[in-house]
C-alpha cells in the first residue's frame, strides 16, 4: 500500500441527467430521468432531484413514472455523452499517463506516475484543479476521491457526491471502513451480501473479526481471501492504462414481443450492422459471431459461430447471425435480441466468403433498384420525434423535443446558453423541422481543454502532467460494466419500439454508466 493518497477516482455526477439539464435550461433544478421510454424501458440515470422521489438507475421506467410522474423523461443522447467523456478523459490524461477508464463517466488516475501528486497537499490541489477544469470545460460537475488504493479512492468519491472531494488519509482506512456495510467492498453483490448476512456478517468490521479461515469456508479460497484483505484495507491493485476489449455487442428489448419471423430476421440484420459500426469505430475485427435471444418466457438462448478469420464486414456478420437464428425456436415470441462479435483482433483477414457475401448484397441492391419504376421515388420514411432529441426549425432555430403523438410534435426552443425557451407544436411532417446535432454545453469553448497549470514536483522540477497527448477517446474504453453497466439495459439510443437501447449494448469499447 502507498503511504500517500495519490490514486484519484473521478465519477461524474448523475452524468446523463446532468448533461441534459445543462443542455436544456428549462430542466435545471427539476427532476430528469434518462432511459428507455417504452413499457419495458429501464432508467439509465436520474438527476438528484428525481432521486429524491426514489428513482434510481436500473429501475424499470414504469416504476419510475409512478414514483415521479411529473419528471422529464428523455431518451439518451450517447453521441453527446461520448463527446463530453472524451473531453474529461483528455483532462485526466494531462495529469498522468496511467488513466484507467471504467465507463464514460468514471476513471482511476495514478497521480504519482504523472508527477502531479506525491503527498496529501499536492494530491488535494490536483483534485480541486481537476474539478474546476471539468466545470469550465463541460459545465458539469464531478466528484473526486483520493486515497492510497483504488478501493478506497472509489469509496471516497462516493462519499464526495455530489460535486465534492474527499481524501482518505493513510492510516485511517480501518476506522473508516469498519462500520460500513459489506456491500461497499468490491466483489460483494446482492448474492454474496445475503450469504454473509445469513452467517451474521453485515459490516466490514465483522468480516475482519471473522478471520480469513471463516471467509474461505464461506466463500471459497480466492474470493474469501481477497475479501478478507480488503476488509483490512489492503488493496494492491495498480491503475492499468490499457484494458483490452474482449467483445463488442448490441442488444434491444422490445416493448411488445415479436412473433413475425420476417421481422425477427430484419431486427437481427439491423443489430448486426450496428454491432459492426461499433467494431469498426474501435478499430477492431472479430472471428466469433454471437446471437442472443430472450424469448417470451424469459428463457435466454445464446448461439455462436466462429469464422475462418477476423472480419469487420457487415455482410459476413449479418449472414452468420442469420444462420444462428435459424437454429432458434421463436414460435412463442421474442422480447430481446442481441448480436455480438468476440475473439477480437486489430486486423481483418480477406476471405472468399466475405467477398462473396458483399457481392451478393450488391446484387440484391441492384435487383431492388431495377424493380423500382423509373422516375418514381420511394415514399419518405416516417420521422420519429423522440423526447429529448435535438431539432432545428427554419424559423425558430434550435430546440429539443418535449413529446410527440397523434401526428404532432412539441418542441421547446432553447439552447445551453439561453434562458428557458418557449414551447411550440408542429405537425410531425413539418418540412421546416429537422433533426439536429447537439450544441456544446459551454458555448465558445470549442471542446478544447484549458491549459494545465504547471505544478512543482517533489524534486523541485515542473510536473506537467505527461501523457496528455494520449487519445482522449480511450476514455470510453474499459470493458467493465459499471453502475450502464451494473444492471440491466439502461438507455434507448434509437428508440422505435425499443426500450433502453444502447443500454443493452454490452460493448466493451465504452459502456455508458448508469450512475
Amino acid at each position: 500500500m502507498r503511504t500517500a493518497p495519490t490514486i484519484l477516482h473521478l465519477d461524474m455526477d448523475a452524468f446523463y441527467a446532468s448533461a441534459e439539464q445543462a443542455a436544456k435550461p428549462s430542466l435545471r433544478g427539476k427532476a430528469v430521468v434518462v432511459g428507455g421510454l417504452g413499457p419495458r424501458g429501464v432508467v439509465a440515470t436520474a438527476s438528484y432531484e428525481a432521486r429524491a422521489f426514489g428513482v434510481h438507475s436500473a429501475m424499470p421506467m414504469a416504476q419510475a413514472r409512478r414514483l415521479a410522474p411529473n419528471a422529464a423523461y428523455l431518451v439518451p443522447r450517447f453521441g453527446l455523452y461520448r463527446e463530453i467523456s472524451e473531453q474529461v478523459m483528455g483532462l485526466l490524461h494531462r495529469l498522468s499517463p496511467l488513466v484507467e477508464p471504467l465507463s464514460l463517466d468514471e476513471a482511476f488516475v495514478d497521480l504519482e506516475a504523472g508527477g502531479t501528486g506525491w503527498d496529501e497537499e499536492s494530491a488535494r490541489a490536483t483534485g480541486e484543479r481537476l474539478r474546476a477544469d471539468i466545470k469550465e470545460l463541460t459545465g458539469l460537475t464531478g466528484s473526486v476521491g483520493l486515497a492510497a488504493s483504488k478501493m478506497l479512492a472509489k469509496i471516497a468519491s462516493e462519499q464526495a457526491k455530489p460535486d465534492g472531494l474527499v481524501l482518505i488519509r493513510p492510516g485511517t482506512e480501518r476506522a473508516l471502513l469498519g462500520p460500513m456495510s459489506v456491500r461497499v467492498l468490491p466483489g460483494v453483490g446482492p448474492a454474496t451480501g445475503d450469504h454473509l448476512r445469513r452467517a451474521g456478517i453485515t459490516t466490514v468490521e465483522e468480516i475482519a473479526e471473522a478471520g480469513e479461515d471463516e471467509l474461505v469456508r464461506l466463500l471459497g479460497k480466492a474470493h474469501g481471501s481477497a475479501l478478507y484483505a480488503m476488509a483490512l484495507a489492503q488493496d494492491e491493485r495498480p491503475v492499468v492504462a490499457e484494458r483490452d476489449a474482449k467483445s463488442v455487442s448490441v442488444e434491444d428489448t422490445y416493448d411488445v414481443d415479436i412473433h413475425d419471423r420476417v421481422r425477427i430476421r430484419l431486427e437481427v440484420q439491423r443489430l448486426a450492422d450496428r454491432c459492426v459500426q461499433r467494431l469498426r469505430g474501435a478499430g477492431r475485427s472479430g472471428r466469433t459471431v454471437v446471437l442472443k435471444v430472450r424469448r417470451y418466457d424469459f428463457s435466454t438462448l445464446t448461439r455462436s459461430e466462429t469464422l475462418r478469420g477476423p472480419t469487420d464486414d457487415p455482410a459476413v456478420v449479418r449472414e452468420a447471425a442469420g444462420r444462428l437464428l435459424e437454429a432458434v425456436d421463436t414460435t412463442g415470441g421474442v422480447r430481446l435480441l442481441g448480436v455480438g462479435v468476440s475473439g477480437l483482433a486489430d486486423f481483418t483477414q480477406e476471405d472468399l466468403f466475405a467477398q462473396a457475401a458483399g457481392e451478393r448484397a450488391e446484387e440484391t441492391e441492384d435487383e431492388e433498384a431495377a424493380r423500382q419504376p423509373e422516375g418514381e421515388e420511394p415514399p419518405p420514411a416516417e420521422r420519429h420525434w423522440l423526447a429529448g432529441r435535438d431539432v432545428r426549425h427554419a424559423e425558430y432555430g434550435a430546440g429539443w423535443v418535449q413529446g410527440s403523438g397523434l401526428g404532432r410534435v412539441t418542441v421547446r426552443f432553447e439552447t445551453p446558453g439561453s434562458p428557458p425557451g418557449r414551447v411550440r407544436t408542429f405537425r410531425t411532417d413539418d418540412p421546416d423541422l429537422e433533426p439536429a446535432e447537439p450544441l456544446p454545453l459551454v458555448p465558445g469553448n470549442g471542446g478544447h481543454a484549458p491549459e494545465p497549470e504547471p505544478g512543482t514536483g517533489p524534486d523541485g522540477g515542473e510536473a506537467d502532467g505527461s501523457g496528455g497527448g494520449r487519445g482522449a477517446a480511450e476514455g470510453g474504453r474499459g470493458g467493465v460494466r459499471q453502475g450502464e453497466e451494473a444492471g440491466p439495459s439502461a438507455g434507448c439510443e434509437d428508440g422505435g419500439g425499443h426500450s433502453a437501447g444502447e443500454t443493452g449494448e454490452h460493448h466493451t469499447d465504452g459502456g455508458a454508466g448508469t450512475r
Side-chain angles (χ1 to χ4, degrees):
M1 286 274 291
R2 303 183 183 203
T3 58
T6 54
I7 292 181
L8 180 149
H9 181 260
L10 170 71
D11 198 350
M12 299 295 288
D13 299 323
F15 183 43
Y16 296 176
S18 294
E20 297 300 341
Q21 288 177 318
K24 301 171 173 63
S26 59
L27 298 184
R28 293 170 190 168
K30 298 181 180 178
V32 174
V33 180
V34 180
L37 304 187
R40 293 177 180 168
V42 178
V43 175
T45 309
S47 69
Y48 288 99
E49 295 84 358
R51 295 180 191 189
F53 293 95
V55 180
H56 58 77
S57 62
M59 172 182 285
M61 190 62 78
Q63 182 181 356
R65 289 184 184 275
R66 289 194 295 271
L67 293 173
N70 296 321
Y73 289 86
L74 310 174
V75 296
R77 296 186 296 162
F78 285 98
L80 173 65
Y81 309 149
R82 291 190 191 99
E83 285 184 13
I84 300 170
S85 176
E86 289 177 3
Q87 294 173 5
V88 172
M89 295 300 166
L91 292 174
L92 299 185
H93 279 100
R94 289 185 171 185
L95 300 179
S96 173
L98 292 183
V99 176
E100 182 178 344
L102 302 180
S103 62
L104 289 177
D105 64 336
E106 186 178 6
F108 288 109
V109 184
D110 188 334
L111 300 181
E112 189 175 293
T116 51
W118 54 92
D119 59 11
E120 179 180 330
E121 184 180 355
S122 60
R124 184 184 295 276
T126 297
E128 293 290 7
R129 187 168 64 248
L130 172 64
R131 293 178 56 236
D133 287 346
I134 290 173
K135 180 70 173 178
E136 178 184 349
L137 180 63
T138 69
L140 305 181
T141 62
S143 295
V144 168
L146 291 159
S149 70
K150 291 168 68 173
M151 176 186 74
L152 291 163
K154 184 171 174 61
I155 291 173
S157 70
E158 286 291 331
Q159 292 184 327
K161 285 186 167 295
D163 191 20
L165 182 150
V166 168
L167 183 148
I168 298 176
R169 292 185 174 91
T172 67
E173 299 94 345
R174 290 285 301 275
L176 174 73
L177 286 175
M180 291 185 174
S181 166
V182 296
R183 292 291 302 276
V184 76
L185 299 179
V188 181
T192 301
D194 286 343
H195 194 51
L196 292 171
R197 180 181 53 79
R198 287 194 294 270
I201 299 173
T202 58
T203 67
V204 176
E205 184 177 12
E206 289 170 344
I207 291 180
E209 291 173 350
E212 184 173 4
D213 291 342
E214 177 66 8
L215 267 293
V216 169
R217 186 186 69 80
L218 289 171
L219 304 174
K221 176 64 176 174
H223 196 185
S225 296
L227 200 58
Y228 179 69
M230 288 183 178
L232 299 180
Q234 297 171 1
D235 178 18
E236 301 292 344
R237 294 174 300 161
V239 176
V240 181
E242 295 292 342
R243 306 204 307 172
D244 287 337
K246 296 181 179 179
S247 65
V248 174
S249 65
V250 298
E251 64 183 41
D252 275 340
T253 302
Y254 303 96
D255 295 342
V256 179
D257 291 347
I258 304 176
H259 294 81
D260 181 41
R261 188 73 177 182
V262 174
R263 166 84 187 281
I264 293 173
R265 281 198 296 268
L266 290 174
E267 288 295 315
V268 167
Q269 291 178 5
R270 184 180 64 83
L271 289 167
D273 288 342
R274 283 171 53 194
C275 181
V276 170
Q277 289 177 1
R278 294 277 182 192
L279 196 66
R280 289 181 169 179
R284 310 298 291 274
S285 62
R287 61 180 299 143
T288 300
V289 178
V290 181
L291 175 71
K292 177 180 177 181
V293 180
R294 181 167 297 151
R295 300 188 291 190
Y296 69 99
D297 58 357
F298 286 90
S299 61
T300 303
L301 303 177
T302 303
R303 300 288 183 268
S304 63
E305 176 182 319
T306 299
L307 308 174
R308 287 178 289 177
T311 184
D312 63 353
D313 188 309
V316 175
V317 177
R318 278 198 303 267
E319 290 204 5
R323 286 194 298 272
L324 294 171
L325 179 63
E326 294 303 318
V328 177
D329 180 13
T330 60
T331 305
V334 169
R335 62 185 292 117
L336 177 147
L337 290 168
V339 174
V341 176
S342 60
L344 302 186
D346 294 323
F347 64 94
T348 59
Q349 264 184 297
E350 295 292 338
D351 57 51
L352 294 177
F353 174 62
Q355 183 177 352
E359 290 173 352
R360 285 196 294 274
E362 290 178 2
E363 290 172 0
T364 301
E365 291 175 0
D366 291 342
E367 291 173 2
E368 292 291 338
R371 284 197 291 268
Q372 184 72 33
E374 185 175 354
E376 182 178 328
E377 294 185 2
E382 182 181 358
R383 295 194 292 181
H384 296 281
W385 303 102
L386 303 179
R389 288 296 167 86
D390 297 275
V391 295
R392 177 169 289 278
H393 191 274
E395 180 180 354
Y396 301 109
W400 57 279
V401 176
Q402 280 204 166
S404 64
L406 302 177
R408 295 286 186 269
V409 54
T410 300
V411 177
R412 183 179 289 274
F413 290 97
E414 60 186 5
T415 63
S418 75
R422 296 187 59 182
V423 174
R424 298 182 183 275
T425 300
F426 307 92
R427 299 193 318 273
T428 54
D429 61 352
D430 190 319
D432 290 335
L433 188 66
E434 296 290 342
E437 292 298 317
L439 297 172
L441 298 188
V442 179
N445 72 11
H448 299 297
E451 290 299 320
E453 298 177 10
T456 302
D459 58 354
E462 285 193 347
D464 60 4
S466 60
R470 295 178 59 86
E474 291 176 359
R477 299 183 58 183
V480 174
R481 307 273 300 170
Q482 298 286 331
E484 155 202 77
E485 323 264 324
S489 300
C492 179
E493 183 167 5
D494 55 11
H498 317 121
S499 81
E502 306 303 310
T503 71
E505 303 216 355
H506 300 301
H507 49 80
T508 56
D509 61 334
T514 56
R515 184 158 304 285

